[in-house]
Amino acid sequence: AQSVTQLGSHVSVSEGALVLLRCNYSSSVPPYLFWYVQYPNQGLQLLLKYTTGATLVKGINGFEAEFKKSETSFHLTKPSAHMSDAAEYFCAVTTSSNDYKLSFGAGTTVTVRA
Amino acid sequence: DGGITQSPKYLFRKEGQNVTLSCEQNLNHDAMYWYRQDPGQGLRLIYYSQIVNDFQKGDIAEGYSVSREKKESFPLTVTSAQKNPTAFYLCASSMGSGGAGNTEAFFGQGTRLTVV
């Protein structure tokens, strides 16, 4: 079985500060990992994904994440927060052993202080 | 433009009534999914379909039903058997199984169902 744990349901950062959202996964086979962003009352938009190859993945809006197999982690970072980054962020995992269905973490809500 | 369309965006129903949520995609994707979202619980899979005329239960299928008669359409019916139907429902699609490049899911804008 596969699962995802997001550490911290709420994160508050100052504008211009580093954004760090933590995600740990559990999987018995090689995982494919994703970060999605959701704005209020909207669907989810893909920020970035790791499938194979380079472990440092760059996404949209200046976000990046690093796949660390030894730590079973896929933390999301952005060097400098912008007010428009205020949203909810979801980490997700899928594998070949689960029909490629996505399993989501509980989400982390980011607020950005001026 | 290609994408996934969910309708309506807001839906109100009386307790005990069945209600059907629409999901249409023009991405030519094989796989489609329904998720339920509640505050603090992330997204939970209700049903999914990997091919026309076939679908499987997800983690919380009780009280829900689906059909997949066309590749483009995957409607979800919330029945009166669903104990707590008020939630935000998200439909998604992907190219389906068969390799890393096919795993990305695209989401609709969601339907907020309120049962009174």
Side-chain angles (χ1 to χ4, degrees):
Chain A
Q2 61 197 38
S3 66
V4 167
T5 301
Q6 291 183 240
L7 301 177
S9 59
H10 290 86
V11 169
S12 179
V13 299
S14 297
E15 192 173 19
L18 171 72
V19 179
L20 170 61
L21 304 183
R22 300 179 186 276
C23 172
N24 288 92
Y25 70 90
S26 173
S27 174
S28 58
V29 298
Y32 304 130
L33 295 156
F34 306 81
W35 275 101
Y36 284 86
V37 61
Q38 184 183 35
Y39 298 99
N41 291 313
Q42 293 190 24
L44 275 66
Q45 179 184 6
L46 182 70
L47 277 176
L48 49 79
K49 64 180 179 181
Y50 168 79
T51 53
T52 59
T55 56
L56 181 62
V57 180
K58 294 186 184 298
I60 63 172
N61 301 339
F63 285 94
E64 64 180 36
E66 187 171 10
F67 171 62
K68 292 187 176 181
K69 184 178 179 180
S70 61
E71 299 177 8
T72 62
S73 69
F74 191 57
H75 302 331
L76 181 71
T77 61
K78 181 174 180 178
S80 177
H82 190 271
M83 298 299 288
S84 61
D85 295 326
E88 189 162 19
Y89 293 79
F90 292 94
C91 183
V93 63
T94 187
T95 69
S96 60
S97 66
N98 195 33
D99 287 339
Y100 293 102
K101 301 191 303 294
L102 284 168
S103 296
F104 286 86
T108 298
T109 299
V110 173
T111 57
V112 182
R113 305 185 304 272
Chain B
D1 288 337
I4 302 177
T5 301
Q6 289 187 242
S7 61
K9 188 167 179 64
Y10 298 95
L11 189 55
F12 295 87
R13 279 296 181 267
K14 291 184 178 180
E15 191 172 342
Q17 290 182 333
N18 291 356
V19 60
T20 297
L21 282 59
S22 171
C23 178
E24 303 279 334
Q25 55 100 357
N26 61 3
L27 299 168
N28 199 33
H29 284 170
D30 287 318
M32 296 188 74
Y33 311 83
W34 274 105
Y35 290 90
R36 171 181 171 138
Q37 185 177 17
D38 297 283
Q41 297 192 47
L43 279 72
R44 293 181 290 169
L45 184 64
I46 304 172
Y47 269 97
Y48 67 104
S49 167
Q50 294 182 311
I51 195 169
V52 175
N53 292 323
D54 188 39
F55 49 82
Q56 287 78 41
K57 293 181 179 180
D59 301 318
I60 56 165
E62 185 176 352
Y64 299 98
S65 66
V66 293
S67 63
R68 186 86 187 276
E69 297 177 0
K70 298 186 300 181
K71 188 175 185 178
E72 302 80 16
S73 179
F74 192 41
L76 172 74
T77 297
V78 184
T79 75
S80 57
Q82 168 52 232
K83 301 299 182 188
N84 184 19
T86 295
F88 191 53
Y89 291 88
L90 286 161
C91 180
S93 71
S94 72
M95 292 180 68
S97 60
N102 294 338
T103 57
E104 176 182 345
F106 294 80
F107 284 81
Q109 293 299 294
T111 293
R112 186 165 297 281
L113 173 64
T114 302
V115 175
V116 296

